[in-house]
């Protein structure tokens, strides 16, 4: 097997990230996210899955296209991106992300030690997504495009684009769903955490659940 040095790592990364020199091959390899549900205002960890039967890869790059109102969570320390179960921080650098000119969120993950992702299926990256508090209920689409998977021999695989359905809800139920056995409201609080005795129109936390009073 070819020794994976810093020099040929650089060559491999240039090939992958410039989309110029890599050799594309058709296969059953697939990078994707399973359909999922998220409530408006919530955060959710989502697995990026890689199926690579009969093939091995040491690095990857892809563009994530999110619907308006859903974004990759971030703070002053950066984006919430983590390695999945198929590698460790000893084998691969932590994934990095950046927003491209067309609005896509590009993610890159590689090994400067020449380590491959373990196995032939499972999660390679974990992304934490955040849904806006005013995001309307409905079904949206997330797309993964421009995938490049690099091998140790500096060739690459370009799997087809994939799409996942995202179901969005408010996470708020009707008042009748959280009443006590006797039909009474046992405890009710407004969104500022203040206990209330009577419920007018609005959103409350009743018996531990968010409810909408119309």
């Amino acid at each position: 097997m070819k020794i994976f040095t810093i020099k040929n790592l650089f060559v491999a990364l240039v090939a992958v990230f410039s989309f110029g020199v890599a050799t594309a091959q058709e296969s059953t390899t697939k990078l994707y996210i399973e359909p999922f549900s998220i409530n408006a205002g919530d955060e959710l960890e989502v697995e990026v899955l890689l199926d690579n039967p009969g093939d091995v890869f040491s690095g990857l790059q892809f563009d994530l296209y999110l619907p308006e109102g859903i974004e990759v969570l971030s703070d002053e320390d950066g984006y919430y991106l983590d390695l999945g179960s198929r590698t460790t921080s000893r084998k691969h650098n932590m994934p990095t992300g950046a927003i491209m000119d067309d609005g896509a969120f590009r993610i890159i993950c590689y090994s400067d030690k020449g380590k491959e992702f373990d196995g032939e299926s499972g999660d390679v990256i974990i992304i934490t997504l955040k849904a806006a508090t005013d995001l309307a209920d409905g079904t949206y689409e997330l797309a993964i495009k421009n995938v490049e998977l690099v091998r140790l021999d500096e060739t690459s695989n370009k799997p087809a684009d994939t799409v996942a359905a995202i179901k969005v809800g408010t996470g708020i139920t009707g008042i009748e769903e959280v009443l006590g056995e006797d039909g009474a409201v046992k405890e009710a609080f407004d969104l500022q955490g203040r206990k209330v005795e009577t419920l007018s129109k609005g959103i409350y936390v009743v018996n531990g659940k968010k409810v909408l009073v119309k």
Side-chain angles (χ1 to χ4, degrees):
M1 177 180 289
K2 183 175 182 178
I3 302 298
F4 203 64
T5 65
I6 294 297
K7 179 180 179 181
N8 59 41
L9 167 70
F10 176 77
V11 172
L13 290 179
V14 168
V16 172
F17 303 149
S18 67
F19 299 101
V21 241
T23 302
Q25 298 182 6
E26 284 191 23
S27 72
T28 55
T29 298
K30 180 181 179 183
L31 190 76
Y32 62 102
I33 291 174
E34 294 280 9
F36 62 89
S37 298
I38 187 170
N39 291 325
D42 283 358
E43 301 169 6
L44 181 69
E45 287 189 346
V46 175
E47 296 178 344
V48 179
L49 304 167
L50 173 63
D51 291 346
N52 52 300
D55 209 345
V56 290
F57 301 100
S58 62
L60 60 81
Q61 171 186 302
F62 64 93
D63 290 341
L64 182 66
Y65 289 82
L66 294 166
E68 186 175 355
I70 297 180
E71 61 183 7
V72 180
L73 184 65
S74 65
D75 58 19
E76 64 275 7
D77 295 321
Y79 293 105
Y80 280 63
L81 300 172
D82 290 298
L83 295 171
S85 65
R86 296 180 58 183
T87 188
T88 70
S89 58
R90 292 182 296 105
K91 296 178 179 180
H92 282 80
N93 297 330
M94 292 296 289
T96 58
I99 298 177
M100 310 304 289
D101 290 342
D102 64 353
F105 187 80
R106 177 164 294 178
I107 295 176
I108 297 173
C109 179
Y110 65 94
S111 173
D112 55 13
K113 299 178 181 179
K115 301 295 183 178
E116 297 163 341
F117 294 111
D118 298 332
E120 296 185 348
S121 66
D123 57 300
V124 286
I125 292 176
I126 306 294
I127 304 172
T128 302
L129 299 180
K130 168 77 174 181
T133 54
D134 59 351
L135 186 61
D137 292 4
T139 301
Y140 299 78
E141 284 191 345
L142 166 157
I144 290 179
K145 299 182 179 182
N146 304 323
V147 181
E148 288 271 8
L149 301 168
V150 67
R151 303 184 185 89
L152 295 183
D153 63 2
E154 300 174 16
T155 61
S156 74
N157 185 297
K158 296 182 179 181
D161 299 343
T162 57
V163 176
I166 306 171
K167 185 177 180 181
V168 175
T170 61
I172 300 173
T173 64
I175 185 67
E176 68 280 355
E177 297 181 26
V178 292
L179 296 179
E181 292 181 1
D182 56 359
V185 174
K186 294 183 177 180
E187 282 189 324
F189 300 86
D190 62 19
L191 295 184
Q192 285 70 49
R194 298 171 298 205
K195 191 170 183 178
V196 295
E197 300 298 332
T198 58
L199 303 181
S200 55
K201 290 182 179 180
I203 299 174
Y204 301 88
V205 178
V206 179
N207 299 344
K209 296 184 179 180
K210 283 184 180 179
V211 299
L212 174 64
V213 178
K214 297 181 180 180

